[in-house]
Amino acid sequence: MSEDRVKLYRGLREVYIDRTNSSFINGKEGKLYYRGYNIDDLAVNCSFEEVIYLIMKGALPTLKQLDQFVSELRSNMTIPEPVLDIIKTIKNAHPMDVLRTAISALSAFDDDVNDNSAEATLRKGTRLTAQAPTIVTAHARIRDGLEPITPDPELSLAANFLYMLFGEKPDPRDVALIDKDFVLHAEHGLNASSFGARVAASTQADLHCAVTTGVAVLKGPSHGGAAESVMTMSQEIGSVDNAEKYVKDTLSSGGRIMGFGHRVYKAVDPRSLHLQDDLKELGERKGEPKWYSILQSVVEVMKPYSRKGINQNVDFFSGAMYFLLNIPEDLFISIFAIGRVPGWTAQVLEQFENNILLRPRLKYVGDLDREFIKIEDR
Ligand code: CMC
């Protein structure tokens, strides 16, 4: 086909690049499946560790398999001292920049780094999943002038996240919220960060490269950064009475309501329904039901947009939940990233299994045959 007649797929909207059996999004009905299991079943019945196993290995574990896997995860949570030193050096950077740099640096200490076999990639994915909460919490403490806390091998990843962040054994109800939040973020089709990870893997770069890319791509407000923006929006709205005016003013000035809209879901994102219930309960428990009420008012005002397929997404309620758990706002995206490491790993494994270089094309619309003038004559 001549270059003039090529069809452009801007944003790769509706373009399918391969097959997967890792996750499926039914955007019309608002359903999400990991390895064939409905997220609604997994969110209320499984620990994050169980879901990591499912996503990375393809099947739900038996009790014995889970036990072994949990031990493997827990024995891999520490990070090497030189990586802690790097975190100290760059402590003033955004937590996602620190996470990206630390994951990249971990490759220098991983014996499997250049081994792209499925076994080694799984081992690395397990290690990176275990190490991500340690990086994020170590950085959060270091920048506050506190000592990082060594992970407790008796605690789950979610409990360790809160323990290493605050230095106290966490309330099991808070742990359950973070655990479910990690489950809900674990895998999600060909989202932008997983696509980024797959592009890296398609060149036969290793898992550390792919996960570093995933973290980089996740950072933007159109992807993982929305939870933080939703909390800022809730604070700007300030009270239920102001929600309608705020939403209308934002939309009429061409702005977007953060935590709304999705490339694939045209119905409500099912993940947001779980977080909605959790936020309501947490707000009541903490004596701060206001944030839930403000967000619900935004949902009400946005109802007419539902017809256009613009509904609340996973980021809409999660920010207020983290806020009520006293988690600093610039850590919100990092929580998403911790949850997503298993998904990136699973997709890299799939990419390696039947690899093809991901190399689309751009239609050239610039000048041709321009007269070249030497630098001294320009
Ligand atoms: N508020 C108001 N209008 C919106 C919104 C929104 N949040 N999202 C989409 N629209 C409108 C948009 O203005 C456009 O209208 P029109 O056709 O009249 O120009 C139409 O919907 C289509 O928008 P689009 O940008 O072409 O759609 P997209 O599929 O490229 O965008 C999105 C998806 C997530 C980038 C977008 O919905 C958005 O910017 N949302 C706010 C940011 C956000 O919440 N991101 C988190 C996504 S979920 C977490 C994750 O999985 O990454």
Side-chain angles (χ1 to χ4, degrees):
M1 194 189 294
S2 97
E3 279 269 326
D4 307 335
R5 305 184 54 154
V6 292
K7 181 161 167 41
L8 292 183
Y9 296 92
R10 292 200 70 237
L12 299 178
R13 207 183 272 282
E14 301 304 328
V15 172
Y16 287 74
I17 65 153
D18 219 323
R19 297 180 174 83
T20 184
N21 51 34
S22 186
S23 61
F24 173 60
I25 307 168
N26 179 337
K28 214 168 146 197
E29 292 177 24
K31 290 184 177 165
L32 170 63
Y33 300 83
Y34 295 165
R35 301 278 184 194
Y37 294 98
N38 193 313
I39 187 74
D40 294 339
D41 291 326
L42 300 174
V44 296
N45 292 303
C46 291
S47 64
F48 182 44
E49 282 78 355
E50 223 174 320
V51 168
I52 301 168
Y53 188 103
L54 170 69
I55 289 173
M56 297 208 312
K57 303 195 185 216
L60 282 169
T62 61
L63 275 175
K64 191 164 165 230
Q65 287 168 330
L66 181 63
D67 233 37
Q68 269 172 1
F69 186 59
V70 164
S71 304
E72 194 187 337
L73 279 167
R74 291 184 186 180
S75 62
N76 276 299
M77 286 195 77
T78 51
I79 49 176
E81 206 55 42
V83 175
L84 270 177
D85 289 340
I86 292 173
I87 295 174
K88 285 176 189 157
T89 309
I90 60 169
K91 66 178 183 194
N92 293 327
H94 188 280
M96 282 294 276
D97 296 336
V98 174
L99 180 62
R100 191 194 64 231
T101 306
I103 285 177
S104 182
L106 280 172
S107 68
F109 304 91
D110 199 308
D111 291 342
D112 286 322
V113 67
N114 293 318
D115 185 348
N116 281 352
S117 66
E119 297 73 23
T121 302
L122 259 176
R123 284 196 297 274
K124 288 184 280 187
T126 307
R127 283 197 279 277
L128 286 177
T129 304
Q131 287 166 322
T134 316
I135 297 168
V136 172
T137 53
H139 170 234
R141 290 182 69 85
I142 288 167
R143 68 178 179 174
D144 284 350
L146 300 166
E147 275 302 305
I149 290 179
T150 310
D152 181 341
E154 297 302 312
L155 298 180
S156 67
L157 290 179
N160 254 311
F161 173 74
L162 291 172
Y163 168 59
M164 291 190 286
L165 189 58
F166 298 121
E168 289 167 8
K169 291 286 151 73
D171 183 324
R173 294 171 296 179
D174 296 347
V175 173
L177 294 176
I178 291 293
D179 195 68
K180 197 200 281 185
D181 187 82
F182 285 158
V183 167
L184 294 170
H185 283 92
E187 164 60 355
H188 207 235
L190 198 59
N191 58 87
S193 58
S194 297
F195 182 56
R198 274 185 183 262
V199 171
S202 82
T203 70
Q204 298 177 50
D206 55 73
L207 186 73
H208 284 80
C209 295
V211 174
T212 304
T213 308
V215 174
V217 176
L218 183 67
K219 188 184 174 193
S222 296
H223 193 359
E228 191 178 330
S229 315
V230 175
M231 195 58 222
T232 309
M233 175 182 80
S234 309
Q235 285 161 327
E236 283 168 5
I237 293 175
S239 74
V240 169
D241 311 340
N242 198 29
E244 183 167 2
K245 180 172 164 16
Y246 184 96
V247 169
K248 289 190 169 157
D249 287 353
T250 303
L251 294 176
S252 62
S253 61
R256 290 188 173 202
I257 301 302
M258 299 314 278
F260 264 78
H262 200 276
R263 179 60 70 81
V264 185
Y265 291 115
K266 296 308 154 202
V268 175
D269 178 341
R271 302 170 298 175
S272 75
L273 298 173
H274 288 278
L275 294 170
Q276 170 182 337
D277 294 345
D278 287 349
L279 175 63
K280 183 165 193 290
E281 182 251 78
L282 180 66
E284 283 161 8
R285 172 154 65 87
K286 297 271 178 187
E288 280 196 68
K290 160 181 163 181
W291 304 108
Y292 175 78
S293 306
I294 290 175
L295 292 173
Q296 276 304 347
S297 315
V298 173
V299 171
E300 279 306 310
V301 185
M302 287 296 286
K303 279 249 160 81
Y305 290 84
S306 185
R307 262 183 285 118
K308 291 169 102 185
I310 302 170
N311 296 291
Q312 62 273 36
N313 61 49
V314 68
D315 285 329
F316 191 66
F317 293 103
S318 59
M321 190 176 90
Y322 308 146
F323 176 82
L324 287 173
L325 292 172
N326 290 325
I327 297 171
E329 283 164 47
D330 63 356
L331 291 194
F332 292 3
I333 322 173
S334 310
I335 301 177
F336 189 153
I338 294 170
R340 186 53 59 86
V341 179
W344 290 325
T345 304
Q347 297 218 23
V348 167
L349 279 163
E350 274 192 344
Q351 188 65 39
F352 283 159
E353 206 174 272
N354 186 20
N355 196 25
I356 179 166
L357 179 70
L358 291 173
R359 204 291 183 204
R361 296 186 60 173
L362 287 168
K363 178 177 161 65
Y364 181 70
V365 293
D367 294 333
L368 288 172
D369 296 326
R370 295 173 76 186
E371 185 192 355
F372 180 77
I373 300 164
K374 287 190 174 161
I375 193 159
E376 56 276 20
D377 301 327
R378 269 174 236 155

